[in-house]
Amino acid sequence: MEALPAYECSSRLTAGWLIGVDRREWFRACNSDLLLASEVCYSGSAYCFALTCFAYADAEILTAYLDRYLPRTHLHYDQPAALGALLRLDALLGTHHADRFTEPDGFWDHWVKCVRRLGYPSHIPAEQRRWADLQCEFANGWSAVVPAGLCTSRPTTALDSDARPTGFTVPTAPPRPSG
C-alpha cells in the first residue's frame, strides 16, 4: 500500500480510495502532500475522498489546496473534488470553511468562468457536495467499521456473509428515454 502513491494516476487513485475506505489515518500527511503537490492530474480526487473520511483538521488541507489552485484558472485539476469534500466536512463538523470560496462572484465563481472557456463543464457547489456525499455513502456501505462522525451522517451497518452491508441495494440506472 505504501508504494501505490508513488506511481501513476491509476495507482494513486486506487491508493487514495483504499486509504479512505479503510480509514488509514496514518496516510494523512502523505495524502496532504500529494494533494498539494498535484503532480498527477485527477488523482487528487481520491486524496480529497480520503481526507473527507478522516474529517478532523482536514478542512485546513482542503482549504490550502483551494487557496493554491483556484487562482490558477488555466488548470482544471481536482478543484471540484476539493470543494465537494470541504462542503461535506463543513456540514458534518458544523463549520464554514467553504463559505469564502463559494460566495457570489468569489474565488469559485471566477475559477468556474475561466475553466468553462477552456471547454470544461460548469461546477455547481451543491453538485460537488452531492458527489462527495455519494462517494462517502458508497464507501460506508462497504466498510465494516466506520468511526462515529467520520465520512458518515448515519449509523454504520454490519456486514453479512457476502461482505455487503445488510440492507444494501445496488442502485440501478434510470431508464433511457425512448426514441
Side-chain angles (χ1 to χ4, degrees):
M1 176 63 94
E2 286 80 8
L4 285 176
Y7 297 111
E8 88 300 330
C9 182
S10 297
S11 297
R12 290 177 183 219
L13 281 166
T14 301
W17 271 89
L18 292 174
I19 288 165
V21 169
D22 200 32
R23 312 307 190 267
R24 295 183 182 204
E25 294 185 38
W26 53 92
F27 283 99
R28 175 181 275 116
C30 178
N31 267 1
S32 302
D33 292 345
L34 290 170
L35 177 64
L36 291 173
S38 232
E39 296 170 334
V40 179
C41 291
Y42 308 117
S43 60
S45 62
Y47 308 144
C48 291
F49 163 74
L51 293 170
T52 305
C53 292
F54 303 154
Y56 308 115
D58 298 326
E60 292 175 18
I61 298 162
L62 295 165
T63 299
Y65 177 85
L66 291 170
D67 281 335
R68 183 178 294 180
Y69 289 99
L70 283 181
R72 298 177 184 184
T73 56
H74 62 289
L75 300 177
H76 185 274
Y77 288 171
D78 300 295
Q79 294 92 329
L83 182 67
L86 187 58
L87 288 166
R88 180 171 174 85
L89 288 180
D90 277 352
L92 289 174
L93 302 174
T95 56
H96 302 280
H97 298 286
D99 288 356
R100 69 184 178 94
F101 298 109
T102 59
E103 61 190 18
D105 296 320
F107 294 114
W108 185 256
D109 284 347
H110 179 68
W111 181 80
V112 167
K113 286 176 190 170
C114 290
V115 297
R116 192 176 311 140
R117 284 187 223 129
L118 299 174
Y120 292 100
S122 179
H123 297 285
I124 300 165
E127 187 61 25
Q128 303 315 307
R129 159 75 196 281
R130 183 176 138 330
W131 184 243
D133 289 343
L134 286 171
Q135 290 174 334
C136 286
E137 292 302 317
F138 175 81
N140 290 341
W142 290 93
S143 298
V145 178
V146 179
L150 299 182
C151 205
T152 187
S153 57
R154 61 178 173 74
T156 60
T157 57
L159 296 178
D160 64 16
S161 60
D162 292 330
R164 291 181 184 222
T166 56
F168 179 81
T169 57
V170 176
T172 57
R176 291 184 179 189
S178 60

